[in-house]
Amino acid sequence: AARNAGARPAVETFRLERRLLASVPGIESYKRAFRKAVERQREMADGSLPDQAELVVARMTDALDSKELDFLTVMDNGIGLNEQRMNALLSDGVSVKPGGATGTYGNGHSTAIPVSDLRYVLYGGISDGGQRIGSGHAVLASHVEAGDRHLRGGDGFYIRDFAAGPGTLYEYARNGQLPTLIEEALADVRASWGRGTAVIIPAFNNFLEDETLWEMVSHAASANFFVAIDDGDLEVIVEDRRPGADSEKRIVDRARLASVLITHKEKRRARAFLNGKRAFEGYEAYRRGKRQTVTTSAGKIGISLKEDVKGVTRVDLFRNGMWITDRIPGFYQKFTDRVPFHAVLSLDAEQGGDLHDWIRIAEGPLHDAIVVKRLPRARRTACYQALREVVDWLCANTEAVSSEEYMSPDFLTLDFGEEEGGGTGRVRKGRFWGAPVPVGRAPARQVPLFRVDPDSEETEEREERQHRNRRERNREQTNDRRRQRPSLPRYFQAASRPTGENRRRIVVECARDYANAELRLVVDEALDATCERHGQDGYTPAVLSGVTIDGRAAKNRELVRWDDKVVGIRLGDLVAGRSVEVETDYRLDGAFADLLTASLRVEVFAGEKDES
């Protein structure tokens, strides 16, 4: 967001305050919905909820019984929010992500929901020109209000109205209509930067952790964004303004980065993806390594190469200053004949070219792995080629392991097995000593295999993940090619909202004429709406029924079927600037049928021609 606004550095402020429960917009309506939701869910469960659900209800009840609560407000100096980006925040799985972005408006919003004991998050944005906009999103459970004929969905929105006009989803509070809580946060944003965004989390539960907010945020930011911070592209500020707390601002920036990383250096537990030890090692490699910009066939990539390392070879990939992975496709087993080294690869939007864009797509919404199969086949091949060129450069610029193996400089004891005829189990040994003598043969292996760290507590977990990935790849090879994720053009805009239990209204608009468009509603990497069940790399469209297009029932030829199940809708030829409205019931199938509150992605792309 800051990159799009031309702001450098991006500044993220985490502010913790104590406020009245009554200051939460729409709190009385929320209380009524909460009581109805608990009542309805207990009726459906024969009077008692599962243990996990009861714990959630208990935390919500405690929060609603409190007069004051902790509020976390996160503010930034980015491009701010407008109606389009606010639609993305309130719509399942719909992203608004420019090509040079690192994060997104949309898919990431679910991560904030479980941090609130009310499952309620508020948003405010101020854009260039001073225009202000606000909204909120609460996640409860399906319930029935008095006078309703049908169940209401579990999503609640702080908005002025639904469907304010053709092609729109919500009527938002704007400018003078904003509640005091959002207005005060945007006043601080405006005073500091002129424009930006505020995310407000009432009943902040400190991630259910014992550490302070500073300890958690400084660890996560320094570990996973040390390249962005060291390059001067990111600063993170933490303030605790609660009564009795130390209200002094604490900052993670370029000047303080090393000291923060040292503070967390001995921590084995990861905050997000990198633990303190691995983050400090990566930072040392980035700062002390020899830097080079390498031009590949698909774009430029920065490499910091540190060769005087102990242990095993490691390669970390960063994009726009954010750590993505140290498991890069095509890199496995490539460096077994090299002296161990640590390399930090840096891709940025300005110089990375196609390689940057391909890696961004291959990351998926969690930004924690590279899955090149997300790319169309032609781009997939080109991406692998560019990565091979990086491997070739690293091999050409690192030292090869010596082909000679030396004996010990002191003496070497050799075990010749049990002594024959002794019957006592004694071991007969021979001793050799003297000057080292070269052995005229190449050793079977001089260094451990790439990416195996016997001292890391993550090794077993990684090996198990590799095993699961192999099984998943074998399973996918048996599937129809149609089940691969399609290539999505950038000029579609789509947003959706619930209109009932397991029913959604979707608005699609295209920036240019587009022939033979197809729509699917897809499980967003198996995230549930509270982001408590993390992703699986599966591509699973929802099963659709009761489909209408612009108010009329969809015809049979407009429905896409797999295995006799409707999984897509043929929208036909789209006209630039004209919106299409779709409503559909949906259900999840197969491995995802147990997701009660799934996060769903709207995908629009060029469909296959109807052969019928």
Side-chain angles (χ1 to χ4, degrees):
R3 182 187 299 273
N4 294 332
R8 189 173 188 267
V11 180
E12 299 288 333
T13 297
F14 292 75
R15 179 179 295 166
L16 194 53
E17 298 173 289
R18 192 79 175 167
R19 288 180 173 268
L20 295 173
L21 172 67
S23 67
V24 178
I27 191 62
E28 294 305 319
S29 175
Y30 175 96
K31 289 178 179 178
R32 290 194 299 272
F34 172 68
R35 288 193 294 268
K36 292 290 185 181
V38 174
E39 177 183 318
R40 173 67 180 179
Q41 296 304 306
R42 284 186 172 146
E43 287 176 359
M44 294 171 63
D46 296 326
S48 62
L49 297 175
D51 291 344
Q52 178 64 26
E54 287 288 6
L55 290 173
V56 173
V57 169
R59 291 204 303 269
M60 289 179 160
T61 302
D62 288 345
L64 291 172
D65 289 342
S66 302
K67 183 178 180 180
E68 293 184 325
L69 299 168
D70 286 344
F71 283 58
L72 177 66
T73 302
V74 185
M75 298 174 286
D76 69 52
N77 63 337
I79 200 170
L81 294 173
N82 56 17
E83 182 173 348
Q84 178 192 39
R85 290 188 283 273
M86 195 69 86
N87 281 342
L89 282 173
L90 299 189
S91 299
D92 285 340
V94 179
S95 288
V96 179
K97 184 200 293 271
T102 296
T104 177
Y105 292 93
N107 296 326
H109 79 287
S110 295
T111 61
I113 296 289
V115 184
S116 165
D117 276 344
L118 295 177
R119 304 295 177 96
Y120 188 12
V121 178
L122 296 154
Y123 306 103
I126 179 169
S127 52
D128 288 333
Q131 296 298 310
R132 304 186 305 284
I133 188 171
S135 73
H137 183 193
V139 177
L140 294 174
S142 300
H143 58 281
V144 178
E145 287 281 359
D148 284 352
R149 295 179 57 191
H150 304 287
L151 277 174
R152 294 190 177 189
D155 295 273
F157 301 102
Y158 181 77
I159 53 175
R160 292 179 61 82
D161 199 0
F162 285 105
T168 64
L169 288 175
Y170 310 102
E171 180 183 347
Y172 294 109
R174 299 174 186 269
N175 300 320
Q177 305 166 338
L178 293 172
T180 301
L181 186 65
I182 297 177
E183 188 66 76
E184 288 180 354
L186 292 184
D188 287 342
V189 170
R190 181 172 49 199
S192 298
W193 308 298
R195 39 97 186 94
T197 298
V199 179
I200 305 168
I201 303 174
F204 173 62
N205 59 26
N206 204 53
F207 304 98
L208 304 179
E209 297 281 1
D210 294 329
E211 290 184 294
T212 66
L213 181 65
W214 164 253
E215 289 171 332
M216 290 184 287
V217 171
S218 65
H219 186 182
S222 63
N224 298 283
F225 295 90
F226 63 76
V227 167
I229 296 171
D230 191 66
D231 288 347
D233 291 328
L234 175 65
E235 293 181 4
V236 178
I237 301 170
V238 178
E239 300 178 78
D240 190 343
R241 294 187 173 184
R242 295 174 300 174
D246 182 2
S247 60
E248 181 183 0
K249 291 183 180 180
R250 307 185 73 176
I251 302 174
V252 184
D253 59 8
R254 186 175 188 179
R256 300 169 178 85
L257 176 60
S259 61
V260 172
L261 285 166
I262 290 172
T263 300
H264 302 290
K265 180 180 177 181
E266 302 305 322
K267 293 184 179 179
R268 289 282 186 166
R269 181 182 176 186
R271 284 288 173 198
F273 303 116
L274 285 182
N275 64 27
K277 175 178 180 292
R278 297 177 67 79
F280 183 79
E281 291 171 350
Y283 172 72
E284 286 284 287
Y286 186 67
R287 286 302 304 270
R288 300 180 184 278
K290 296 179 291 186
R291 295 197 181 186
Q292 179 78 32
T293 298
V294 176
T295 301
T296 73
S297 55
K300 295 181 178 180
I301 186 168
I303 301 180
S304 293
L305 179 61
K306 188 171 185 287
E307 296 184 87
D308 54 335
V309 299
K310 298 179 180 179
V312 299
T313 288
R314 178 174 151 201
V315 181
D316 291 304
L317 175 63
F318 282 74
R319 188 177 63 78
N320 288 344
M322 177 174 68
W323 187 87
I324 304 299
T325 185
D326 57 4
R327 295 174 52 79
I328 306 170
F331 278 42
Y332 309 124
Q333 311 295 335
K334 299 297 184 181
F335 306 116
T336 55
D337 62 344
R338 319 309 294 174
V339 172
F341 63 86
H342 192 163
V344 176
L345 312 182
S346 300
L347 272 171
D348 65 67
E350 282 76 17
Q351 298 188 69
D354 288 338
L355 183 58
H356 169 274
D357 294 342
W358 297 338
I359 293 297
R360 177 177 61 82
I361 295 170
E363 290 165 16
L366 298 181
H367 308 290
D368 66 339
I370 302 300
V371 183
V372 180
K373 69 181 181 183
R374 287 191 173 101
L375 300 172
R377 187 170 300 277
R379 295 181 184 178
R380 196 182 312 168
T381 301
C383 183
Y384 277 129
Q385 173 60 34
L387 291 175
R388 279 195 296 269
E389 292 166 14
V390 176
V391 170
D392 292 343
W393 188 93
L394 288 170
C395 287
N397 287 272
T398 53
E399 183 182 352
V401 173
S402 171
S403 62
E404 295 183 335
E405 185 176 26
Y406 287 88
M407 296 170 59
S408 168
D410 184 9
F411 66 86
L412 180 66
T413 301
L414 301 180
D415 186 349
F416 291 96
E418 290 187 1
E419 188 172 1
E420 292 182 354
T424 61
R426 289 185 303 160
V427 175
R428 180 167 57 88
K429 298 180 182 292
R431 291 185 175 180
F432 300 82
W433 56 90
V437 178
V439 177
R441 59 180 176 82
R445 182 177 300 150
Q446 285 277 24
V447 295
L449 291 176
F450 180 62
R451 282 304 315 126
V452 176
D453 184 353
D455 296 326
S456 171
E457 63 183 9
E458 299 173 337
T459 298
E460 291 185 5
E461 179 183 340
R462 289 182 181 277
E463 290 176 348
E464 174 61 24
R465 189 160 63 238
Q466 288 177 21
H467 181 60
R468 290 198 305 267
N469 289 343
R470 283 194 295 270
R471 287 186 309 200
E472 183 65 22
R473 283 196 297 270
N474 292 337
R475 189 179 304 118
E476 288 172 352
Q477 288 172 0
T478 65
N479 290 340
D480 192 309
R481 286 187 178 180
R482 295 173 302 171
R483 298 184 186 273
Q484 296 179 3
R485 186 179 299 281
S487 175
L488 305 181
R490 293 183 185 173
Y491 36 81
F492 285 119
Q493 294 296 334
S496 72
R497 71 168 175 85
T499 56
E501 187 174 29
N502 289 348
R503 186 167 180 84
R504 302 202 74 83
R505 175 176 174 236
I506 303 166
V507 179
V508 178
E509 188 173 301
C510 191
R512 46 159 280 190
D513 291 348
Y514 194 83
N516 196 32
E518 182 178 315
L519 180 147
R520 293 180 195 166
L521 198 58
V522 180
V523 177
D524 192 17
E525 275 70 21
L527 292 176
D528 68 343
T530 62
C531 213
E532 290 178 339
R533 171 170 165 173
H534 281 282
Q536 303 174 29
D537 188 36
Y539 181 66
T540 305
V543 179
L544 310 179
S545 61
V547 178
T548 65
I549 303 174
D550 287 334
R552 63 170 177 80
K555 299 176 182 178
N556 187 59
R557 66 173 180 271
E558 294 174 311
L559 303 177
V560 179
R561 287 179 168 82
W562 291 350
D563 303 327
D564 295 324
K565 299 172 184 176
V566 176
V567 297
I569 304 167
R570 295 187 178 94
L571 302 179
D573 298 340
L574 299 183
V575 178
R578 182 180 300 172
S579 63
V580 178
E581 295 186 1
V582 172
E583 283 207 29
T584 180
D585 293 315
Y586 68 90
R587 65 178 174 84
L588 303 182
D589 202 16
F592 307 113
D594 65 329
L595 283 180
L596 300 179
T597 52
S599 182
L600 301 173
R601 175 191 295 273
V602 177
E603 295 190 339
V604 186
F605 52 90
E608 298 178 359
K609 292 185 178 180
D610 184 6
E611 300 298 336
S612 63

